[in-house]
Amino acid sequence: MERLRYQLKSLEKIPVKTWNTPLEGSRHVAQSIALAIRQRQQEGEQIVLGLATGSTPIQVYNELVRMHREEGLSFHNVITFNLDEYYPMQPDAPQSYVRFMREYLFNHVNIKKENIHIPDGTLPIDQIDAYCADYEKRIDALGGIDIQILGIGRTGHIGFNEPGSWESAETRLVRLDAITRKDALKDFPQEDDVPYRAITMGVKSIMKARTIYLLAWGDHKASIIKKAVEGVITPAVPATFLQKHPNVKAHIDLGAASELTRYEAPWLVGMCNWDEDLICQAVIWLSQKLDKPILKLTDEDYAENSLSDLIIEHASAYDINIRIFNRLQHTITGWPGGKPNADDSTRPERAKPAKKRVIIFSPHPDDDVISMGGTFLRLVDQGHDVHVAYQTSGNIAVHDHDARRFIEFMQEYGEGGSDNPGSKEKADRLFREMLRFMDKKAPGEGDTPEILRVKGLVRRGEARAAARFCGLADSHIHFMDLPFYETGGTRKNPLGEADIRITAELLERIKPHQVYAAGDLADPHGTHRVCIDAILGAFETLKGQAWAKDCWLWLYRGAWHEWPVHEIEMVVPLSPAELRKKRLAIFMHQSQKDRPPFPGSDEREFWQRAEDRNKATAAAYRSLGLAEYEAMEAFRRWKFDWQ
Ligand code: F6R
């Protein structure tokens, strides 16, 4: 144990605490902050908090607000300094950090207005240097920051200290990295709207804090967390400077931790408790590291790569190789709904019943075809009773010019079409109002409910076309329009009872044998995360029912990541023709072609991302020594503890 701790410490140069979910980690951090606030209150002292924005700290703020409301946590002695603000930025703009802090924290707790400090994005440029120097002085005058919360950007930035920032950097105006600007596209309608600059506290200002919590949630943070925690200290990854801080702790979830050596290759850190899953992970790791098919790995390969334990404890390389090769072989199936009249003892799905009722849940209206279009087509072709359920309207991701086309279409059609003069006038007025609103709409301004409805209908039409293309009857296409999504902006409401109820009602009506859902947490808007939580919450209410006990939940990953090969439990090969058909289904989503609004950081179109990913999975299987396919869609089964 001592040796293990020592080895971990030499590898992980920032102490790390991993949590099963972001919620657990966020609650812990919020409780630590609350404890510190209360301690200071007992001493009659103030406390200075350094705060971050972005998606990372939201659940910490939610929990602090809850503690304020339900447990009487007072903020009367709290002084805050925010890390950064875009420049230029008006405080009431949807993307402003002032607005963010008000919405998530300040409006809901009893903090004094004069105790809040957020860099001012409205200053004339020639006043910024003096303003920044003053920001530093104010922090120092209050005795420095007691607790600093940090998120981390994909570039390794903390605050907006981008690669190249020095350890001595203080609060200043900076230029945003191109990657950071791309990531910000999840909050801005288009690239031109993202500011090029920001005011940020410096690395030095951050390092002066007495305690630092670095937070990160989700697989998309895994590679930068590995660099920050295990990498060498370098201005190229500013978060690595935190390794020098005497009192820093990283609180991260298993997704963000997944590339740390202790998870990715725990045998490099110390002794392992080998079970079949870990053996599979090790064999794949070894095969990929040596670029050698599994069946060619030798005893020496294992011994020379810290895996001799495996050979000594379990078997020879020969036996392990065959065992893991077979395990992977058995994940491959052309029968995602189960193969009728076949021995299913080593197949991913059950043979019976031969015709299954299936629900494919799709968080946005195109995730079904993007992530599992090939499997969707197969399930229908193989005669299963397939339903598709679009969980959210996806209405914010339609360009104004597309909505305008439809409004004008309705307007022109109405002129010659309706023979009911009363309703025609009313409709005409509505169309004119919508068009007038769009003419005057400021960049980034939210839409009216009527325009949001039009945008939602645009996406509905596309989803319907794609589902019909995959062979579904209209009665099998369901639009759920979950309420948590309907904020009209990129910030969504948390999961509510209504979301779970709507999901449970659909499940109960169809009583599926098989459910497919997006199981990825790396969605930049968090929508996929809420959508899977709605499904899990719904199953919780239905678990007493006989059909539910027999219902298997398969998780696909959305447009961002694929499952690591050792986690895949079912993989469906696609022929070149099937891949082409899948592409045509994705093409039905015309409003999402080229550059949709809030596009995120990936330049590729959705069909390209999907094909690259499916081809990469096929290539990974191929390089492990399995058969060569054009492309593959991968799934992992969610096991309920009550099944
Ligand atoms: C925000 C900030 C940034 C973010 C980082 C991660 O105040 O300073 O460093 O913490 O970009 O952003 P999210 O949390 O949105 O992934």
Side-chain angles (χ1 to χ4, degrees):
M1 198 62 201
E2 223 13 72
R3 192 173 133 240
L4 181 65
R5 216 171 285 139
Y6 174 77
Q7 275 179 323
L8 253 189
K9 219 169 163 183
S10 64
L11 205 65
E12 295 179 4
K13 287 160 281 188
I14 294 176
V16 174
K17 170 78 189 150
T18 42
W19 299 91
N20 284 331
T21 63
L23 186 61
E24 277 177 39
S26 301
R27 283 197 178 136
H28 173 90
V29 170
Q31 275 156 12
S32 306
I33 295 171
L35 190 70
I37 295 176
R38 286 192 171 115
Q39 260 166 7
R40 285 295 171 86
Q41 280 165 4
Q42 276 172 2
E43 295 157 6
E45 298 282 344
Q46 293 182 318
I47 182 165
V48 183
L49 302 180
L51 300 180
T53 53
S55 56
T56 305
I58 289 178
Q59 287 178 319
V60 174
Y61 298 148
N62 290 347
E63 181 65 7
L64 286 171
V65 170
R66 189 197 63 75
M67 284 193 265
H68 171 70
R69 285 205 185 119
E70 296 175 13
E71 296 168 12
L73 174 66
S74 172
F75 285 73
H76 71 263
N77 65 329
V78 175
I79 300 173
T80 62
F81 284 87
N82 264 81
L83 280 167
D84 42 23
E85 173 63 291
Y86 291 113
Y87 183 82
M89 181 56 65
Q90 291 301 318
D92 51 358
Q95 299 82 6
S96 113
Y97 288 169
V98 173
R99 182 155 168 183
F100 177 102
M101 289 309 302
R102 284 186 194 141
E103 282 180 13
Y104 284 107
L105 186 65
F106 298 150
N107 284 354
H108 313 287
V109 296
N110 64 329
I111 188 164
K112 294 179 191 146
K113 257 210 173 92
E114 62 273 23
N115 284 355
I116 295 172
H117 308 84
I118 304 181
D120 184 351
T122 67
L123 290 173
I125 193 106
D126 57 346
Q127 292 179 20
I128 290 184
D129 281 351
Y131 175 84
C132 291
D134 187 58
Y135 203 75
E136 290 282 337
K137 269 197 213 131
R138 283 199 208 191
I139 299 177
D140 290 344
L142 287 161
I145 288 173
D146 291 297
I147 301 178
Q148 175 68 56
I149 298 178
L150 295 177
I152 182 168
R154 278 200 307 146
T155 56
H157 72 213
I158 46 176
F160 276 135
N161 294 284
E162 297 288 14
S165 297
W166 290 98
E167 213 176 337
S168 53
E170 298 196 321
T171 305
R172 68 206 185 286
L173 185 68
V174 292
R175 222 176 334 176
L176 295 178
D177 191 278
I179 296 180
T180 300
R181 287 191 70 247
K182 288 228 164 84
D183 283 346
L185 267 176
K186 68 186 189 318
D187 296 322
F188 290 86
Q190 51 191 357
E191 204 153 342
D192 288 349
D193 301 326
V194 183
Y196 283 88
R197 289 177 293 184
I199 300 174
T200 182
M201 279 167 53
V203 176
K204 186 172 165 196
S205 345
I206 293 170
M207 292 291 280
K208 282 197 284 187
R210 274 180 275 284
T211 299
I212 298 179
Y213 297 132
L214 173 67
L215 317 181
W217 320 121
D219 316 80
H220 60 307
K221 295 287 170 87
S223 68
I224 194 64
I225 278 291
K226 183 184 174 77
K227 284 188 194 150
V229 170
E230 295 184 1
V232 289
I233 298 175
T234 162
V237 183
T240 56
F241 288 124
L242 297 173
Q243 294 177 11
K244 292 189 180 180
H245 195 277
N247 196 18
V248 58
K249 186 146 198 169
H251 289 275
I252 62 182
D253 69 346
L254 289 170
S258 58
E259 288 186 25
L260 292 180
T261 307
R262 66 161 125 160
Y263 291 104
E264 203 174 49
W267 43 90
L268 297 180
V269 182
M271 300 287 281
C272 294
N273 287 328
W274 292 104
D275 62 15
E276 205 57 16
D277 289 347
L278 195 59
I279 295 174
C280 179
Q281 183 179 344
V283 174
I284 292 171
W285 173 85
L286 186 62
S287 162
Q288 288 177 335
K289 179 166 184 235
L290 302 182
D291 199 13
K292 244 186 181 187
I294 291 174
L295 294 176
K296 287 191 181 178
L297 296 173
T298 62
D299 284 357
E300 290 73 37
D301 292 332
Y302 281 83
E304 285 163 12
N305 289 282
S306 311
L307 287 169
S308 43
D309 287 356
L310 203 52
I311 306 288
I312 297 164
E313 273 183 42
H314 289 266
S316 63
Y318 180 81
D319 288 339
I320 296 178
N321 292 349
I322 290 191
R323 216 163 74 212
I324 299 304
F325 180 87
N326 284 339
R327 173 177 159 140
L328 291 177
Q329 179 68 46
H330 294 151
T331 61
I332 305 173
T333 182
W335 298 86
K339 186 169 186 182
N341 307 318
D343 171 14
D344 59 6
S345 54
T346 57
R347 291 178 175 276
E349 248 299 350
R350 302 149 295 174
K352 287 184 184 157
K355 300 288 174 220
K356 293 190 173 61
R357 285 187 300 279
V358 178
I359 303 183
I360 298 172
F361 281 105
S362 179
H364 300 98
D366 51 358
D367 290 308
D368 54 343
V369 284
I370 290 173
S371 298
M372 53 168 292
T375 306
F376 188 167
L377 286 159
R378 277 201 177 214
L379 287 164
V380 177
D381 283 350
Q382 291 169 357
H384 298 287
D385 185 24
V386 181
H387 294 253
V388 65
Y390 298 103
Q391 293 173 279
T392 70
S393 68
N395 56 13
I396 63 161
V398 175
H399 282 295
D400 286 351
H401 57 79
D402 278 331
R404 184 183 279 275
R405 273 173 51 203
F406 283 92
I407 296 167
E408 285 168 353
F409 175 90
M410 290 187 288
Q411 193 179 34
E412 282 182 29
Y413 180 82
E415 272 170 18
S418 173
D419 45 7
N420 176 348
S423 74
K424 181 178 172 313
E425 265 166 37
K426 211 164 125 202
D428 244 8
R429 201 172 334 116
L430 182 64
F431 296 146
R432 271 200 309 275
E433 271 167 23
M434 287 198 263
L435 293 173
R436 213 176 307 125
F437 176 86
M438 287 178 131
D439 287 340
K440 289 192 305 196
K441 190 175 159 186
E445 188 181 347
D447 283 316
T448 62
E450 292 77 21
I451 293 175
L452 281 173
R453 175 141 171 76
V454 171
K455 290 186 171 181
L457 288 176
V458 170
R459 299 212 64 185
R460 257 189 199 208
E462 293 168 350
R464 216 179 268 128
R468 284 180 189 148
F469 178 83
C470 293
L472 289 202
D474 287 4
S475 60
H476 283 46
I477 305 172
H478 310 271
F479 294 100
M480 301 169 75
D481 289 341
L482 291 182
F484 84 87
Y485 184 90
E486 297 303 314
T487 59
T490 51
R491 286 176 207 157
K492 305 303 181 200
N493 293 323
L495 178 70
E497 271 174 31
D499 303 306
I500 295 179
R501 183 176 33 77
I502 294 168
T503 310
E505 278 167 6
L506 184 72
L507 280 165
E508 202 174 356
R509 184 144 54 87
I510 294 169
K511 299 188 175 39
H513 303 96
Q514 223 192 17
V515 166
Y516 290 86
D520 60 327
L521 304 176
D523 169 19
H525 299 160
T527 296
H528 285 213
R529 194 180 305 201
V530 182
C531 284
I532 185 68
D533 285 347
I535 294 170
L536 297 178
F539 268 109
E540 199 50 39
T541 68
L542 299 166
K543 64 183 177 190
Q545 305 195 12
W547 67 268
K549 286 208 171 61
D550 212 25
C551 174
W552 284 19
L553 173 57
W554 288 101
L555 302 179
Y556 60 83
R557 282 229 164 145
W560 291 273
H561 273 76
E562 190 49 276
W563 302 109
V565 176
H566 67 272
E567 290 186 14
I568 293 173
E569 290 175 280
M570 174 162 78
V571 67
V572 180
L574 308 185
S575 67
E578 284 169 313
L579 193 64
R580 217 165 26 244
K581 200 158 178 203
K582 167 175 175 165
R583 187 191 299 178
L584 294 179
I586 299 174
F587 281 174
M588 294 292 175
H589 294 273
Q590 287 170 0
S591 69
Q592 304 303 296
K593 271 198 61 63
D594 306 323
R595 290 299 268 167
F598 309 102
S601 53
D602 198 326
E603 293 277 349
R604 295 167 300 167
E605 287 195 26
F606 287 116
W607 66 270
Q608 291 169 314
R609 294 188 215 181
E611 287 186 16
D612 289 351
R613 194 174 89 179
N614 296 160
K615 286 183 177 174
T617 307
Y621 267 68
R622 168 74 187 139
S623 67
L624 295 169
L626 292 126
E628 180 165 359
Y629 292 98
E630 174 76 358
M632 285 174 149
E633 290 176 344
F635 303 89
R636 185 172 170 71
R637 198 180 147 207
W638 178 271
K639 286 158 201 108
F640 294 102
D641 49 17
W642 41 267
Q643 271 186 332

